[in-house]
Amino acid sequence: MTQPLFKIEDLKVSIEGKQILDGVNLTINAGEIHALMGRNGTGKSTLANTLMGHPKYEITGGKIWLAGQDITELEPEERSIAGLFLAFQYPIAIPGVNVVNFLRAALKAHRGGDMPIKDFRILLKEQMNLLSMQQSFASRYVNDGFSGGEKKRLEILQMAMLNPKMVLLDETDSGLDIDALKVVAEGINRTMTKDRGVLLVTHYQRILDFVKPNFVHVMMNGKIVKSGGPELALELEKQGYDWLGKETKHENQATAN
Amino acid sequence: MSEAIDAMNNEIGDIGTDYKYGFHDKEEFVFKSQRGLSREVIENLSRMKKEPQWMLEFRLKAYEIYMEKPMPTWANTELLNEIQFDNIYYYLRPQDSEKKNWEDVPEGIRKTFDRLGIPEAERKFLAGVTAQYESEVVYHSIREDLEKLGVKFFSMDQGLQEYPEIVKKYFGTVIPPNDNKFAALNSAVWSGGSFVYVPKGVHVAIPLQAYFRINAENMGQFERTLIIADEGSSVHYIEGCTAPTYSSDSLHSAVVELIALPGAKLRYTTIQNWSKNVFNLVTKRAQAYRDATVEWVDGNLGSKLTMKYPAIYLMEPGAHGEVLSIAFSGKDQHQDAGSKIIHAAPNTTSVITSKSISKDNGRTTYRGLVKVYPNAEGCKSSVKCDALLLNEGSRSDTYPTMEIDCENVQIGHEATVSKVGDEQLFYLRSRGLSEDAAAMMIVNGFIEPFTKELPLEYAVELNRLIQLEMEGSVG
Ligand SMILES: Nc1ncnc2c1ncn2[C@@H]1O[C@H](COP(=O)(O)OP(=O)(O)OP(=O)(O)O)[C@@H](O)[C@H]1O
Ligand SMILES: [Mg+2]
């Protein structure tokens, strides 16, 4: 069998000495979309940030593989260039840096050289149109004074421009109105290929109506406690997480015995 | 121009820092005073310049004031007290007369300015250029069309020779010698600088530029600039400064007086990039009359200690003043900068925006004053100071003073201090930018309100200078 695109092995993470992730295992093959759900504060963003290499998150155990390469120790920029992308739950503002210059610099880092300005402009214009973004957006400062929806669109625009192999989407659907949700979902689907993997963190079934996951996972207390198909998300929508808590407690006991 | 300089830099390579203007030429001069200042030095200098008697008297009186005034007891007194006034050369005449043709400038000096890209910049985008080397302006030119419109742009010395009546009327009126010790010193030994007069209603669409270069070790440069924008006129003046890197210090103490007559618009831009052994103690002040606008755009990157607080006196109703500044302070540097706005008339407005960046334990200070006179109803002023610290040991202090003697006014003040944020760095790095490139981008963004006010060539150059300063400085 060919190697998986992305693999997380028994990942343990702490922040400022406090353990948050307690052995996460997950394998994502090329062409697959995985949804990750779970209560507030269970460690979903911690996982996403750790995968991207945030220096604050200390890996105390486990490994991360991207296309057969161990990326556990890589710098964030190296991961990015290796083909990993994170759409942030809370994209941060970079005042004074406009979207065009930012995207040019990112693209330059990925390509190892400047793209001719003309080609860049054509590409940017095209991608912005596809995301129903006004041209004036390009000269605004990155995330500075952006509405919640605008921030999420900019994340998707970056994804489209950088064309990563493995995409982590951390609540990219949160705070979007219905139209924006469709635009963002379309952006994800349009750029999806058989070579790409997606891990989509969400609280809502709604986005999964547009972006159809192959698998759904539930995280609790820093662990993936249940995995299933798309029907799992529907069940969670109906019942919440309580029943899972009980179920997993049983499981834990079972394994303890 | 930068490619040529890069090539040059590779040649000179070993100047010890990343300061690319740190090279120096062999000293050649037609006159060099003894070290230290005396009546004799001043008399000599004035005689050599063939000055009118009143100017000599002005100088000697200023010298007395200078001798009487104590050193400032505020700001960085420790550094200030390092200045060895007796060790300084107060007057150094590099050539016998000012040239109008670039080819006539002595080869050594010409090469220096070539290296600095000056004549090339002039060809490209300037309306006129003054190049000062040590104490004297060595080269000067102005576009013919402007000359025909009656725009006067000379070295201060030549201005005094050709328009003694205008000079006498305004010289020292905005900044009298007794204003402060360094203004007195400048008034006593001033040499070079620019004299600009823009006639009524004339708009000088592209910038006039002056370039100041110190070459000799322990040199004191005391240029004096006077700009008068007559009613309804407009002009933008830019100055750039560099010096070689020596092991012992030099002193730069300029006085700049600006007068914007009713309805005039005057902008003065500085990019100060002295080497890190220069004390830069400058007095800059402007008067803005009815409906006139004065803008100081002031960038300080170099020097060991800079003390500079560009001031604007809003003299008549409708006058508007702006001070936009950045200070960049690295290892062993202290940028003590700020601004002063005096609302002396009703319905005057002002905006102060100060941005400072400290790295490698560098120090920046914002020192500002907004003063509103009792009768100055309806004034508006907003002050914004942002400091960015690049490492733990860097330091930034803010001393904003408000003296508001009038009730019906709107005054706003806002100050922030931030570190280059981990989250910002991570965001940019997660898009493939190296840590240095990410920090650079954040810094460039931080000073963007400043850079966007510069002519493009300057903005590019400034970004490059900061990039050099920034290499490997996050942490
Ligand atoms: N940078 C940080 N510093 C300190 N604690 C953190 C940090 N990041 C996360 N935590 C803590 O780790 C735990 C998991 O947080 P995380 O953001 O990963 O949750 P989440 O599953 O993404 O929640 P949500 O659904 O609300 O986004 C929380 O208790 C949170 O307070
Ligand atoms: Mg989260």
Side-chain angles (χ1 to χ4, degrees):
Chain A
M1 209 196 108
T2 55
Q3 68 194 7
L5 173 67
F6 194 61
K7 191 165 182 203
I8 307 166
E9 263 175 25
D10 199 25
L11 191 66
K12 295 187 175 139
V13 173
S14 44
I15 309 162
E16 289 152 11
K18 181 178 149 207
Q19 180 157 351
I20 310 286
L21 297 187
D22 185 21
V24 174
N25 288 288
L26 188 62
T27 299
I28 297 175
N29 292 305
E32 288 177 0
I33 295 176
H34 292 234
L36 178 64
M37 306 183 78
R39 284 205 184 96
N40 294 130
T42 53
K44 303 180 296 297
S45 293
T46 300
L47 177 64
N49 281 313
T50 306
L51 296 176
M52 198 67 235
H54 196 305
K56 232 185 180 168
Y57 297 74
E58 192 200 344
I59 297 180
T60 55
K63 283 207 180 309
I64 309 160
W65 302 86
L66 176 65
Q69 184 191 5
D70 179 356
I71 63 164
T72 321
E73 301 288 329
L74 294 192
E75 299 295 334
E77 57 271 32
E78 294 171 323
R79 297 179 198 217
S80 168
I81 288 161
L84 187 63
F85 181 87
L86 167 61
F88 286 81
Q89 181 174 5
Y90 305 111
I92 191 152
I94 318 283
V97 176
N98 69 35
V99 169
V100 174
N101 288 343
F102 165 61
L103 286 174
R104 271 208 102 191
L107 225 61
K108 184 177 172 182
H110 276 252
R111 297 163 52 101
D114 256 326
M115 186 171 185
I117 183 85
K118 227 175 121 193
D119 299 350
F120 172 78
R121 291 210 172 269
I122 292 168
L123 177 67
L124 179 61
K125 202 170 168 185
E126 184 185 290
Q127 294 299 334
M128 286 178 67
N129 280 340
L130 286 168
L131 288 164
S132 310
M133 293 165 98
Q134 284 179 1
Q135 291 303 313
S136 62
F137 202 82
S139 49
R140 289 180 64 184
Y141 299 149
V142 175
N143 293 319
D144 196 24
F146 280 25
S147 75
E150 286 168 338
K151 286 183 186 172
K152 299 299 169 82
R153 268 181 222 226
L154 180 59
E155 295 296 290
I156 296 300
L157 175 66
Q158 293 175 56
M159 178 191 77
M161 298 282 286
L162 294 177
N163 196 23
K165 286 187 206 135
M166 178 66 212
V167 176
L168 312 167
L169 299 164
D170 192 359
E171 294 198 29
T172 305
D173 57 330
S174 291
L176 296 181
D177 64 46
I178 294 288
D179 293 338
L181 182 75
K182 276 187 193 154
V183 168
V184 162
E186 259 169 39
I188 299 168
N189 289 335
R190 176 165 41 81
T191 55
M192 184 66 195
T193 65
K194 63 175 178 25
D195 299 320
R196 175 178 285 177
V198 172
L199 179 64
L200 184 157
V201 176
T202 183
H203 287 294
Y204 309 105
Q205 168 59 35
R206 206 176 51 166
I207 184 144
L208 303 180
D209 293 337
F210 299 105
V211 181
K212 302 259 187 268
N214 306 91
F215 300 95
V216 175
H217 310 275
V218 182
M219 182 174 263
M220 267 188 169
N221 301 325
K223 265 187 155 165
I224 290 178
V225 294
K226 185 149 184 91
S227 298
E231 72 289 344
L232 178 56
L234 291 167
E235 201 160 340
L236 291 169
E237 181 97 336
K238 261 188 259 150
Q239 303 200 39
Y241 293 100
D242 271 355
W243 61 280
L244 269 172
K246 282 173 205 130
E247 197 170 290
T248 51
K249 252 181 221 142
H250 289 302
E251 275 171 20
N252 285 347
Q253 273 166 10
T255 47
N257 292 339
Chain B
M1 75 174 159
S2 59
E3 260 174 43
I5 292 175
D6 281 345
M8 197 62 65
N9 252 337
N10 291 338
E11 254 171 59
I12 40 178
D14 58 348
I15 50 173
T17 66
D18 48 11
Y19 180 68
K20 69 168 184 170
Y21 305 113
F23 65 87
H24 65 89
D25 313 332
K26 198 166 114 227
E27 266 185 47
E28 282 179 82
F29 46 83
V30 295
F31 177 79
K32 187 174 187 175
S33 71
Q34 295 171 330
R35 289 181 194 266
L37 186 56
S38 63
R39 273 185 81 96
E40 211 187 328
V41 168
I42 295 167
E43 279 163 353
N44 242 326
L45 170 160
S46 182
R47 192 176 326 117
M48 245 181 278
K49 290 175 180 287
K50 303 191 177 73
E51 288 181 346
Q53 184 64 20
W54 68 265
M55 185 53 83
L56 176 62
E57 281 162 19
F58 176 91
R59 289 178 182 277
L60 292 173
K61 188 143 184 283
Y63 177 60
E64 277 170 30
I65 296 168
Y66 165 70
M67 295 300 281
E68 279 163 22
K69 279 218 183 256
M71 286 291 277
T73 51
W74 47 279
N76 196 329
T77 49
E78 200 178 309
L79 276 183
L80 270 178
N81 291 332
E82 281 181 17
I83 305 175
Q84 295 183 315
F85 290 96
D86 292 337
N87 198 38
I88 288 170
Y89 296 103
Y90 285 84
Y91 181 59
L92 204 162
R93 194 175 175 88
Q95 66 179 22
D96 50 5
S97 66
E98 191 181 311
K99 310 295 184 201
K100 280 206 160 196
N101 287 320
W102 190 238
E103 295 71 38
D104 297 338
V105 175
E107 195 188 347
I109 298 175
R110 207 168 63 214
K111 270 196 178 153
T112 299
F113 283 110
D114 277 338
R115 269 187 193 189
L116 300 168
I118 306 309
E120 198 186 328
E122 176 191 353
R123 276 199 299 278
K124 276 197 200 141
F125 71 102
L126 296 167
V129 167
T130 277
Q132 176 159 350
Y133 193 81
E134 319 290 22
S135 300
E136 296 287 355
V137 168
V138 292
Y139 169 69
H140 168 80
S141 81
I142 179 165
R143 274 185 14 187
E144 256 175 46
D145 53 336
L146 292 171
E147 209 169 1
K148 282 196 187 125
L149 287 171
V151 175
K152 301 177 190 12
F153 176 40
F154 294 107
S155 69
M156 194 65 233
D157 297 276
Q158 211 192 336
L160 174 62
Q161 296 300 331
E162 305 209 6
Y163 297 94
E165 59 309 328
I166 307 185
V167 173
K168 196 169 178 187
K169 182 172 171 193
Y170 293 107
F171 193 94
T173 59
V174 182
I175 304 170
N178 63 3
D179 186 81
N180 67 75
K181 190 172 178 75
F182 294 99
L185 174 60
N186 176 285
S187 300
V189 291
W190 73 266
S191 181
S194 300
F195 169 73
V196 180
Y197 172 81
V198 185
K200 278 185 192 169
V202 172
H203 299 284
V204 183
I206 48 177
L208 299 172
Q209 194 204 41
Y211 200 90
F212 297 98
R213 172 76 178 172
I214 296 177
N215 180 61
E217 192 164 10
N218 303 134
M219 181 61 207
Q221 192 175 59
F222 305 96
E223 91 271 8
R224 180 97 191 189
T225 290
L226 172 63
I227 302 178
I228 301 145
D230 211 331
E231 291 179 25
S233 69
S234 68
V235 63
H236 181 187
Y237 178 94
I238 307 182
E239 63 169 7
C241 329
T242 62
T245 306
Y246 286 117
S247 52
S248 59
D249 301 329
S250 293
L251 172 62
H252 174 252
S253 190
V255 164
V256 178
E257 299 178 285
L258 308 184
I259 297 163
L261 292 170
K265 189 164 194 294
L266 208 173
R267 172 179 282 203
Y268 192 108
T269 298
T270 305
I271 301 293
Q272 176 270 107
N273 187 29
W274 294 116
S275 55
K276 282 161 197 166
N277 52 342
V278 173
F279 285 91
N280 184 44
L281 311 169
V282 174
T283 310
K284 289 185 165 169
R285 190 172 304 159
Q287 293 175 346
Y289 291 86
R290 181 177 290 272
D291 299 327
T293 294
V294 171
E295 296 163 340
W296 293 107
V297 177
D298 202 58
N300 294 297
L301 281 96
S303 83
K304 180 182 220 165
L305 170 67
T306 284
M307 288 172 67
K308 182 174 15 163
Y309 320 96
I312 304 173
Y313 283 63
L314 302 164
M315 313 290 285
E316 292 180 349
H320 176 70
E322 287 198 28
V323 183
L324 173 59
S325 64
I326 59 156
F328 191 104
S329 211
K331 192 167 179 294
D332 300 327
Q333 277 185 288
H334 186 174
Q335 306 281 8
D336 195 312
S339 50
K340 254 200 252 182
I341 306 260
I342 312 294
H343 290 266
N347 300 317
T348 49
T349 51
S350 65
V351 179
I352 296 173
T353 311
S354 156
K355 301 232 160 206
S356 74
I357 299 159
S358 320
K359 61 142 203 169
D360 287 346
N361 302 351
R363 208 176 145 187
T364 58
T365 302
Y366 172 80
R367 213 179 283 281
L369 171 69
V370 174
K371 188 174 170 67
V372 180
Y373 281 19
N375 64 336
E377 301 276 323
C379 286
K380 284 186 197 159
S381 175
S382 95
V383 180
K384 193 167 189 307
C385 307
D386 299 320
L388 187 66
L389 306 179
L390 298 191
N391 77 333
E392 286 294 328
S394 289
R395 174 170 166 193
S396 165
D397 302 289
T398 306
Y399 304 103
T401 307
M402 305 275 175
E403 291 175 14
I404 316 295
D405 295 323
C406 180
E407 277 184 12
N408 180 22
V409 294
Q410 281 179 40
I411 311 289
H413 174 75
E414 206 184 302
T416 66
V417 179
S418 50
K419 296 199 173 131
V420 165
D422 291 341
E423 297 307 318
Q424 288 179 324
L425 280 175
F426 178 57
Y427 188 79
L428 295 178
R429 293 177 73 191
S430 79
R431 299 323 186 217
L433 274 67
S434 69
E435 191 166 1
D436 278 355
M440 183 67 205
M441 185 170 265
I442 293 165
V443 168
N444 274 342
F446 177 76
I447 62 167
E448 206 268 355
F450 182 86
T451 7
K452 77 167 184 232
E453 293 299 325
L454 298 177
L456 182 65
E457 289 79 359
Y458 276 75
V460 170
E461 186 62 8
L462 181 70
N463 279 353
R464 242 173 50 80
L465 290 174
I466 289 182
Q467 188 161 3
L468 281 175
E469 293 287 336
M470 284 283 299
E471 270 159 20
S473 63
V474 198

mmCIF file of all heavy atoms in Angstrom, chain B residues 338-362:
data_model
loop_
_atom_site.group_PDB
_atom_site.id
_atom_site.type_symbol
_atom_site.label_atom_id
_atom_site.label_comp_id
_atom_site.label_asym_id
_atom_site.label_seq_id
_atom_site.Cartn_x
_atom_site.Cartn_y
_atom_site.Cartn_z
ATOM 1 N N GLY B 338 11.001 63.507 19.588
ATOM 2 C CA GLY B 338 9.622 63.829 19.899
ATOM 3 C C GLY B 338 9.178 65.005 19.089
ATOM 4 O O GLY B 338 9.641 65.205 17.969
ATOM 5 N N SER B 339 8.308 65.816 19.673
ATOM 6 C CA SER B 339 7.860 66.989 18.934
ATOM 7 C C SER B 339 7.165 67.955 19.874
ATOM 8 O O SER B 339 6.732 67.583 20.961
ATOM 9 C CB SER B 339 6.917 66.565 17.826
ATOM 10 O OG SER B 339 5.947 65.718 18.361
ATOM 11 N N LYS B 340 7.091 69.167 19.389
ATOM 12 C CA LYS B 340 6.472 70.230 20.177
ATOM 13 C C LYS B 340 5.503 70.958 19.276
ATOM 14 O O LYS B 340 5.876 71.359 18.168
ATOM 15 C CB LYS B 340 7.541 71.243 20.562
ATOM 16 C CG LYS B 340 7.982 71.214 21.994
ATOM 17 C CD LYS B 340 8.637 72.532 22.310
ATOM 18 C CE LYS B 340 10.125 72.426 22.463
ATOM 19 N NZ LYS B 340 10.792 73.662 22.819
ATOM 20 N N ILE B 341 4.280 71.110 19.747
ATOM 21 C CA ILE B 341 3.332 71.901 18.969
ATOM 22 C C ILE B 341 2.782 72.990 19.883
ATOM 23 O O ILE B 341 2.323 72.700 20.993
ATOM 24 C CB ILE B 341 2.153 71.046 18.457
ATOM 25 C CG1 ILE B 341 2.662 69.841 17.683
ATOM 26 C CG2 ILE B 341 1.194 71.915 17.653
ATOM 27 C CD1 ILE B 341 2.652 69.926 16.191
ATOM 28 N N ILE B 342 2.851 74.212 19.415
ATOM 29 C CA ILE B 342 2.322 75.321 20.193
ATOM 30 C C ILE B 342 1.118 75.907 19.458
ATOM 31 O O ILE B 342 1.255 76.444 18.354
ATOM 32 C CB ILE B 342 3.389 76.440 20.361
ATOM 33 C CG1 ILE B 342 4.731 75.861 20.791
ATOM 34 C CG2 ILE B 342 2.872 77.516 21.336
ATOM 35 C CD1 ILE B 342 4.782 75.225 22.150
ATOM 36 N N HIS B 343 -0.035 75.752 20.058
ATOM 37 C CA HIS B 343 -1.245 76.352 19.484
ATOM 38 C C HIS B 343 -1.353 77.776 20.031
ATOM 39 O O HIS B 343 -1.883 77.993 21.108
ATOM 40 C CB HIS B 343 -2.485 75.547 19.877
ATOM 41 C CG HIS B 343 -2.549 74.205 19.220
ATOM 42 N ND1 HIS B 343 -3.230 73.983 18.047
ATOM 43 C CD2 HIS B 343 -2.001 73.005 19.550
ATOM 44 C CE1 HIS B 343 -3.111 72.710 17.684
ATOM 45 N NE2 HIS B 343 -2.365 72.097 18.595
ATOM 46 N N ALA B 344 -0.836 78.718 19.264
ATOM 47 C CA ALA B 344 -0.808 80.094 19.746
ATOM 48 C C ALA B 344 -1.996 80.900 19.232
ATOM 49 O O ALA B 344 -2.135 82.070 19.566
ATOM 50 C CB ALA B 344 0.500 80.752 19.311
ATOM 51 N N ALA B 345 -2.831 80.286 18.416
ATOM 52 C CA ALA B 345 -3.970 81.001 17.847
ATOM 53 C C ALA B 345 -5.185 80.084 17.796
ATOM 54 O O ALA B 345 -5.045 78.859 17.809
ATOM 55 C CB ALA B 345 -3.617 81.490 16.444
ATOM 56 N N PRO B 346 -6.374 80.682 17.738
ATOM 57 C CA PRO B 346 -7.592 79.871 17.701
ATOM 58 C C PRO B 346 -7.683 79.030 16.422
ATOM 59 O O PRO B 346 -7.082 79.380 15.403
ATOM 60 C CB PRO B 346 -8.732 80.903 17.716
ATOM 61 C CG PRO B 346 -8.114 82.198 18.068
ATOM 62 C CD PRO B 346 -6.673 82.132 17.721
ATOM 63 N N ASN B 347 -8.496 77.969 16.513
ATOM 64 C CA ASN B 347 -8.789 77.124 15.353
ATOM 65 C C ASN B 347 -7.546 76.627 14.621
ATOM 66 O O ASN B 347 -7.511 76.572 13.399
ATOM 67 C CB ASN B 347 -9.711 77.853 14.370
ATOM 68 C CG ASN B 347 -11.026 78.220 15.033
ATOM 69 O OD1 ASN B 347 -11.606 77.411 15.756
ATOM 70 N ND2 ASN B 347 -11.463 79.442 14.836
ATOM 71 N N THR B 348 -6.560 76.284 15.363
ATOM 72 C CA THR B 348 -5.389 75.660 14.763
ATOM 73 C C THR B 348 -5.436 74.165 15.079
ATOM 74 O O THR B 348 -6.037 73.758 16.067
ATOM 75 C CB THR B 348 -4.088 76.262 15.318
ATOM 76 O OG1 THR B 348 -4.177 76.280 16.751
ATOM 77 C CG2 THR B 348 -3.883 77.673 14.813
ATOM 78 N N THR B 349 -4.827 73.370 14.215
ATOM 79 C CA THR B 349 -4.923 71.919 14.384
ATOM 80 C C THR B 349 -3.547 71.265 14.258
ATOM 81 O O THR B 349 -2.679 71.764 13.558
ATOM 82 C CB THR B 349 -5.842 71.301 13.307
ATOM 83 O OG1 THR B 349 -5.422 71.757 12.024
ATOM 84 C CG2 THR B 349 -7.288 71.688 13.521
ATOM 85 N N SER B 350 -3.401 70.141 14.936
ATOM 86 C CA SER B 350 -2.118 69.442 14.843
ATOM 87 C C SER B 350 -2.272 67.942 15.023
ATOM 88 O O SER B 350 -3.202 67.473 15.674
ATOM 89 C CB SER B 350 -1.149 69.975 15.901
ATOM 90 O OG SER B 350 -1.620 69.676 17.196
ATOM 91 N N VAL B 351 -1.371 67.224 14.409
ATOM 92 C CA VAL B 351 -1.338 65.768 14.534
ATOM 93 C C VAL B 351 0.112 65.346 14.768
ATOM 94 O O VAL B 351 0.995 65.734 14.015
ATOM 95 C CB VAL B 351 -1.840 65.071 13.242
ATOM 96 C CG1 VAL B 351 -1.774 63.554 13.388
ATOM 97 C CG2 VAL B 351 -3.244 65.511 12.891
ATOM 98 N N ILE B 352 0.325 64.570 15.814
ATOM 99 C CA ILE B 352 1.659 64.028 16.059
ATOM 100 C C ILE B 352 1.568 62.514 16.007
ATOM 101 O O ILE B 352 0.754 61.914 16.709
ATOM 102 C CB ILE B 352 2.195 64.439 17.445
ATOM 103 C CG1 ILE B 352 2.362 65.955 17.520
ATOM 104 C CG2 ILE B 352 3.518 63.730 17.751
ATOM 105 C CD1 ILE B 352 2.731 66.461 18.906
ATOM 106 N N THR B 353 2.368 61.896 15.161
ATOM 107 C CA THR B 353 2.417 60.439 15.113
ATOM 108 C C THR B 353 3.870 60.023 15.286
ATOM 109 O O THR B 353 4.718 60.390 14.484
ATOM 110 C CB THR B 353 1.894 59.906 13.762
ATOM 111 O OG1 THR B 353 0.651 60.541 13.484
ATOM 112 C CG2 THR B 353 1.708 58.401 13.807
ATOM 113 N N SER B 354 4.123 59.296 16.351
ATOM 114 C CA SER B 354 5.501 58.907 16.617
ATOM 115 C C SER B 354 5.584 57.390 16.705
ATOM 116 O O SER B 354 4.816 56.754 17.414
ATOM 117 C CB SER B 354 5.943 59.541 17.928
ATOM 118 O OG SER B 354 6.995 58.799 18.480
ATOM 119 N N LYS B 355 6.521 56.818 15.972
ATOM 120 C CA LYS B 355 6.686 55.367 15.995
ATOM 121 C C LYS B 355 8.131 55.067 16.351
ATOM 122 O O LYS B 355 9.039 55.657 15.768
ATOM 123 C CB LYS B 355 6.417 54.790 14.608
ATOM 124 C CG LYS B 355 5.029 55.101 14.102
ATOM 125 C CD LYS B 355 4.376 53.834 13.671
ATOM 126 C CE LYS B 355 2.880 53.975 13.622
ATOM 127 N NZ LYS B 355 2.234 52.677 13.818
ATOM 128 N N SER B 356 8.330 54.183 17.285
ATOM 129 C CA SER B 356 9.715 53.842 17.595
ATOM 130 C C SER B 356 9.908 52.339 17.653
ATOM 131 O O SER B 356 8.998 51.592 18.021
ATOM 132 C CB SER B 356 10.137 54.479 18.914
ATOM 133 O OG SER B 356 9.535 53.793 19.979
ATOM 134 N N ILE B 357 11.091 51.923 17.250
ATOM 135 C CA ILE B 357 11.441 50.510 17.258
ATOM 136 C C ILE B 357 12.769 50.372 17.996
ATOM 137 O O ILE B 357 13.713 51.101 17.708
ATOM 138 C CB ILE B 357 11.631 50.002 15.816
ATOM 139 C CG1 ILE B 357 10.338 50.170 15.027
ATOM 140 C CG2 ILE B 357 12.088 48.546 15.799
ATOM 141 C CD1 ILE B 357 10.534 50.188 13.535
ATOM 142 N N SER B 358 12.803 49.479 18.964
ATOM 143 C CA SER B 358 14.062 49.242 19.671
ATOM 144 C C SER B 358 14.440 47.784 19.546
ATOM 145 O O SER B 358 13.605 46.901 19.707
ATOM 146 C CB SER B 358 13.938 49.557 21.159
ATOM 147 O OG SER B 358 13.173 50.708 21.368
ATOM 148 N N LYS B 359 15.711 47.549 19.263
ATOM 149 C CA LYS B 359 16.195 46.167 19.189
ATOM 150 C C LYS B 359 17.559 46.088 19.859
ATOM 151 O O LYS B 359 18.195 47.134 20.092
ATOM 152 C CB LYS B 359 16.272 45.709 17.745
ATOM 153 C CG LYS B 359 17.219 46.539 16.894
ATOM 154 C CD LYS B 359 17.974 45.699 15.910
ATOM 155 C CE LYS B 359 19.236 46.390 15.492
ATOM 156 N NZ LYS B 359 20.154 45.583 14.752
ATOM 157 N N ASP B 360 18.006 44.897 20.141
ATOM 158 C CA ASP B 360 19.332 44.704 20.756
ATOM 159 C C ASP B 360 19.566 45.644 21.935
ATOM 160 O O ASP B 360 20.610 46.294 22.019
ATOM 161 C CB ASP B 360 20.446 44.980 19.728
ATOM 162 C CG ASP B 360 20.555 43.882 18.701
ATOM 163 O OD1 ASP B 360 19.976 42.814 18.937
ATOM 164 O OD2 ASP B 360 21.216 44.110 17.671
ATOM 165 N N ASN B 361 18.623 45.772 22.812
ATOM 166 C CA ASN B 361 18.732 46.626 24.002
ATOM 167 C C ASN B 361 18.837 48.115 23.669
ATOM 168 O O ASN B 361 19.325 48.898 24.480
ATOM 169 C CB ASN B 361 19.929 46.240 24.874
ATOM 170 C CG ASN B 361 19.854 44.791 25.310
ATOM 171 O OD1 ASN B 361 18.834 44.128 25.103
ATOM 172 N ND2 ASN B 361 20.908 44.295 25.917
ATOM 173 N N GLY B 362 18.441 48.483 22.486
ATOM 174 C CA GLY B 362 18.440 49.901 22.131
ATOM 175 C C GLY B 362 17.365 50.647 22.904
ATOM 176 O O GLY B 362 16.456 50.055 23.490
#
